[in-house]
């Protein structure tokens, strides 16, 4: 493909509104252009990459036995009224009326349409399992669309829906989609992790998020080489230490600590490290106030406090409530002498023979505090947030904590929609039962943006080979030189005949401009044809991601480049 004939407008400047690197680079590399707030056009280079993600998704969905359909973008309000979501979906649902005054919406998701379809077409257990998917444009009227195609209002999504006779069959469908998603993101050449997640607004009993790891990600995930992954809010902390021996700890001692409230003040004043201090926090929940202690260098986890009590919410109590429960101003709370609230200690405190804590009176702390000896806690529990280097909950390894971007989400929906919309079937005994559903989404454009967040440098995009708009770019430095162009076209023709996707930069531009654009576009392998090299019968080859350079003889260049690309396709 000749650069001079392509609509491939590169830019030196970042767009003013762009906050994340993928947005900046997709714009500068001519992949996308903005039409309106949160609405983008895919340009030729961007579309080539987008279609590669789509192709990988199609292959893996088909392999998993799913069938492709294409549902309408415009949906009638009746279906949303039937499911009950018309009233509570809120302003993200773009609603309008047609010329007959009928309420409609632009589909942000397709549970209603697909459930209606299956209700009409599937009546018997013999017609299941069935899994239907589509790759289609969706619209969610986000109040603050940001990050380019990462969080746009109009976006392309793969959504799949499975229909089964019972929970166990639905579990099998879920497992197959989990595996298909692993293959999709592996084949895209991405580093990712699947984490257990809360199922959020869509509802349902169980879900996993697929997160592409990138430092700019909005979510934090804990992952281990054994395959374990979880959102840090959810990840359990396995206590791997033993119980410390407290038999020779001196008696409890009250220490005057005037005005020493913060952990930093207390540790400096008492000459101890945060690892030797228990910090005491009071949480307010719908089950009442609760006091918890964690090591001062650890973070208390409100979600774990909530789960421990079986509460619906848990948040830090007000200063007044802290005083009410502890009898002390904030900064001097401790686990001893608490009235009217349970006291739970985090497991990590088991590893300390004794600790320093607030004394529940102003300007005082205790040292040599031993739980069991000096006071009796209500119980011990995992109450802190996991962090880098903590033991993995599933194996003997340790977890790493990384940031991630959610690119896929799979849900067990159960019978939420089938019951609301009366999608039933007759089982082998002729009994009517609700169909059991699952739903499975991949943000197609977002996957590309996440790939860039994970693969770029100061000069531009470093596409993984499976997602690159072109696999090889040829840079003839002097396009006015006939011999240079003859060699360049010869290599292009032979590579294309070998099935390699080639971008030939035939523009009459300075070498500096061509090198800069090649780096910005992120084509994985660059072949440079300069006058001196040609005289010696060699081309200069550079790998975009590693930056490795080598000289390859013109006789071998086609085989070399073909092998290099094919090895890296997935
Ligand atoms: Zn592990």
């Amino acid at each position: 493909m000749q650069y001079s004939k392509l609509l491939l407008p590169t830019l030196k400047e970042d767009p003013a509104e762009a906050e994340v690197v993928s947005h900046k680079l997709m714009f500068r590399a001519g992949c996308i252009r903005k039409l309106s707030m949160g609405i983008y056009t895919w340009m030729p280079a961007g579309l080539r990459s987008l279609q590669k993600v789509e192709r990988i998704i199609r292959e893996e969905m088909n392999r998993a036995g799913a069938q492709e359909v294409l549902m309408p973008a415009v949906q009638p309000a009746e279906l949303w009224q039937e499911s009950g979501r018309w009233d509570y979906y809120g302003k993200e649902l773009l609603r309008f009326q047609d010329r007959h005054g009928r309420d409609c919406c632009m589909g942000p998701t397709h549970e209603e349409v697909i459930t209606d379809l299956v209700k009409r077409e599937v009546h018997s257990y013999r017609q299941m399992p069935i899994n239907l998917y589509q790759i289609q444009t969706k619209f969610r009227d986000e109040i603050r669309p940001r990050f380019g195609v990462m969080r746009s209002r109009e976006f392309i999504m793969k959504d799949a829906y499975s229909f089964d006779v019972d929970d166990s069959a639905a579990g099998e469908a879920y497992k197959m989609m989990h595996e298909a998603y692993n293959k999709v993101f592996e084949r895209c050449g991405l580093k990712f992790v699947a984490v257990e997640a809360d199922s959020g607004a869509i509802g349902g009993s169980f879900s996993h998020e697929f997160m592409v790891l990138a430092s700019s990600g909005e979510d934090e995930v804990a992952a281990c080489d054994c395959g374990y992954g979880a959102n840090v809010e959810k990840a359990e902390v396995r206590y791997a230490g033993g119980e410390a021996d407290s038999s020779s700890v001196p008696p409890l001692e009250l220490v005057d600590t005037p005005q020493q409230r913060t952990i930093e003040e207390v540790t400096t004043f008492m000459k101890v490290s945060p690892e030797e201090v228990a910090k005491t926090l009071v949480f307010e929940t719908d089950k009442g106030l609760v006091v918890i202690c964690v090591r001062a260098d650890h973070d208390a986890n409100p979600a774990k406090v909530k789960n421990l009590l079986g509460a619906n919410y848990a948040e830090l109590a007000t200063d007044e409530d802290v005083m009410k429960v502890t009898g002390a101003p904030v900064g001097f709370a401790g686990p001893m002498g608490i009235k009217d609230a349970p006291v739970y200690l985090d497991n990590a405190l088991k590893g300390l023979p004794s600790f320093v804590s607030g004394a529940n009176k102003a300007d005082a702390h205790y040292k040599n505090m031993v739980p069991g000896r000096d006071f009796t806690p209500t119980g011990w529990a995992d109450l802190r947030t996991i962090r880098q280097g903590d033991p993995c909950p599933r194996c003997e390894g340790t977890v790493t904590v990384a940031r991630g971007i959610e690119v896929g989400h799979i849900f067990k929906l159960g019978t939420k929609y089938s019951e609301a919309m009366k999608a039933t079937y007759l089982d082998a005994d002729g009994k009517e039962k609700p169909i059991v559903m699952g739903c499975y989404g991949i943000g197609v454009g977002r996957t590309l943006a996440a790939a860039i967040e994970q693969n770029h440098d100061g000069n531009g995009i470093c596409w993984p080979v499976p997602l690159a708009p072109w696999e090889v770019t040829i840079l003839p430095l002097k396009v006015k030189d006939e011999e240079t162009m003859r060699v360049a076209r010869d290599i292009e023709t032979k590579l294309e005949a070998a099935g390699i996707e080639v971008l030939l930069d035939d523009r009459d531009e300075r070498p500096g401009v061509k090198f800069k654009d090649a780096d910005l576009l992120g084509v994985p392998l660059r072949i440079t044809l300069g006058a001196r090299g040609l005289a010696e019968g060699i081309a200069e080859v550079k790998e975009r991601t590693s930056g490795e350079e080598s000289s390859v003889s013109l006789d071998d260049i086609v085989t070399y480049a073909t092998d290099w690309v094919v090895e890296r396709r997935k």
Side-chain angles (χ1 to χ4, degrees), residues 224-226 228 392 394-395 397:
C224 173
D225 292 339
C226 73
Y228 173 77
C392 169
R394 299 277 186 279
C395 78

Side-chain angles (χ1 to χ4, degrees), residues 68-334:
E68 186 167 4
V69 294
L70 184 56
M71 289 180 266
V74 173
Q75 306 182 6
E78 287 80 14
L79 291 182
W80 286 72
Q81 286 153 353
E82 235 181 279
S83 74
R85 289 206 291 185
W86 184 255
D87 289 329
Y88 90 83
Y89 206 92
K91 291 193 168 172
E92 277 191 21
L93 189 63
L94 179 64
R95 301 158 207 245
F96 54 93
Q97 289 191 331
D98 67 12
R99 64 200 299 163
H100 307 291
R102 295 186 192 109
D103 286 322
C104 304
C105 65
M106 282 296 290
T109 174
H110 278 67
E111 281 84 5
E112 280 80 2
V113 177
I114 196 90
T115 306
D116 183 67
L117 178 77
V118 167
K119 166 172 109 175
R120 290 167 198 281
E121 307 300 332
V122 174
H123 305 289
S124 160
Y125 71 97
R126 287 194 194 87
Q127 291 171 281
M128 287 180 279
I130 193 164
N131 186 329
L132 302 169
Y133 78 97
Q134 64 174 348
I135 295 175
Q136 195 240 21
T137 298
K138 305 250 187 280
F139 195 92
R140 284 182 200 167
D141 204 357
E142 293 253 4
I143 187 162
R144 212 156 66 92
R146 309 198 287 164
F147 309 148
V149 296
M150 186 100 83
R151 182 168 300 167
S152 50
R153 295 198 294 164
E154 187 177 297
F155 57 96
I156 296 166
M157 187 169 155
K158 187 285 299 179
D159 47 331
Y161 306 87
S162 63
F163 300 86
D164 284 279
V165 292
D166 58 23
D167 278 338
S168 120
E172 283 304 306
Y174 186 89
K175 228 163 74 188
M176 277 178 77
M177 284 297 103
H178 196 296
E179 281 164 24
Y181 274 41
N182 278 334
K183 284 192 194 130
V184 165
F185 297 117
E186 265 165 40
R187 286 186 57 194
C188 287
L190 299 174
K191 290 188 278 296
F192 70 97
V193 57
V195 304
E196 292 167 16
D198 285 326
S199 40
I202 294 195
S205 45
F206 196 65
S207 79
H208 278 89
E209 287 171 352
F210 287 76
M211 316 282 292
V212 167
L213 301 176
S215 56
S216 56
E218 288 187 274
D219 296 289
E220 258 194 320
V221 296
C224 173
D225 292 339
C226 73
Y228 173 77
N231 254 308
V232 288
E233 291 80 36
K234 260 202 126 177
E236 59 191 280
V237 177
R238 179 166 65 82
Y239 179 63
E243 270 190 48
D245 177 11
S246 304
S247 57
S248 53
V249 174
L252 188 67
E253 189 183 325
L254 190 66
V255 182
D256 283 336
T257 52
Q259 300 300 319
Q260 310 297 310
R261 290 163 189 274
T262 66
I263 296 303
E264 204 188 340
E265 287 165 352
V266 171
T267 51
T268 309
F269 187 84
M270 296 184 69
K271 299 188 176 59
V272 291
S273 72
E275 288 86 349
E276 300 167 281
V277 177
K279 70 179 167 196
T280 303
L281 300 160
V282 182
F283 280 86
E284 185 204 329
T285 78
D286 52 316
K287 304 260 173 175
L289 296 170
V290 57
V291 175
I292 70 143
C293 289
V294 297
R295 236 167 61 184
D297 60 315
H298 287 153
D299 291 321
N301 184 321
K304 290 182 178 178
V305 175
K306 184 183 83 150
N307 292 343
L308 177 71
L309 299 183
N312 291 313
Y313 74 92
E315 51 196 49
L316 281 175
T318 59
D319 290 359
E320 291 76 50
D321 278 339
V322 173
M323 285 195 72
K324 199 171 83 188
V325 170
T326 66
V330 172
F332 301 98

